Amino acid sequence: RLQKHGILGERTIVVHAVHVDAREIELLADSRTWVTHQPRSNMNNGVGISDVESMMRAGVRVCLGNDGFSNAMWEEWKTAYLVHKVWQRDPRRMPGDKIVEMAIDNNGALAGMFFPEAPIGMIKPGAYADLMMVDYYPTTPLTEGNLPWHILFGFHSSMVTTTIVAGRLLMRDRQLLTLDEKEISARAQELVPDVWERYQSFVPDD
């Protein structure tokens, strides 16, 4: 139906894509449509697991997202790495390099379509200076080849000490420089009761 109405294409993002068959995967690949994989959200909602490995083999450009579940993207890496092994009952499924392909290569390429002024997702002259510093002391050798597995098994968000976006320093030594975290939290607590009450008004009684 999306193909019939001209919706699929290289500037279209299909989110989740949990229930797609072989023909639909072919349509996604042929139309150069993007797909985003949100494994923790899918697990939380009990809707199933997207067959992203089949999509990637077919040439579909699959990215890794979080659907607002949380901002801890390394946890999304870990979940994507593990859940496909459980789903397929095969420890060889969804290797670390495929996680990198989704989370770094494809995410960067997708972002670059909408922010084309400079390269994204890479470190080189002329690229956006989007960087983070991580307080990580590996107990085994760290190389370019095994970096994905260090991230999967060793990294967590509390290790991030400094973030830089487009050359602008946003956090230094775990202190936010452009936002007042306490003020934001206090304001959120003021607003949440009303939001929750409105939500409850839409929930049918059992």
Side-chain angles (χ1 to χ4, degrees), residues 30-115:
D30 291 346
S31 62
R32 301 288 291 163
T33 298
W34 297 87
V35 169
T36 59
H37 181 36
Q38 287 77 221
R40 288 191 297 167
S41 173
N42 297 157
M43 292 168 63
N44 182 60
N45 293 323
V47 296
I49 302 298
S50 177
D51 189 4
V52 295
E53 287 185 289
S54 292
M55 294 186 208
M56 295 172 81
R57 284 194 296 269
V60 178
R61 297 174 296 177
V62 181
C63 300
L64 190 65
N66 60 30
D67 198 32
F69 192 87
S70 82
N71 293 322
M73 278 303 296
W74 286 332
E75 297 306 314
E76 213 71 46
W77 282 46
K78 294 177 175 68
T79 303
Y81 180 78
L82 294 171
V83 72
H84 291 272
K85 294 171 171 56
V86 174
W87 181 42
Q88 300 290 349
R89 298 189 177 187
D90 185 347
R92 297 168 297 182
R93 306 305 288 265
M94 192 55 74
D97 59 330
K98 290 300 180 183
I99 302 296
V100 169
E101 183 179 341
M102 288 191 292
I104 295 181
D105 301 337
N106 291 348
N107 278 14
L110 176 58
M113 285 187 58
F114 297 97
F115 303 95

Side-chain angles (χ1 to χ4, degrees), residues 151-172:
I151 294 175
L152 285 164
F153 296 112
F155 281 29
H156 52 81
S157 57
S158 65
M159 293 178 174
V160 178
T161 63
T162 299
T163 59
I164 303 169
V165 176
R168 185 185 183 193
L169 192 62
L170 300 184
M171 182 174 74
R172 178 193 289 131

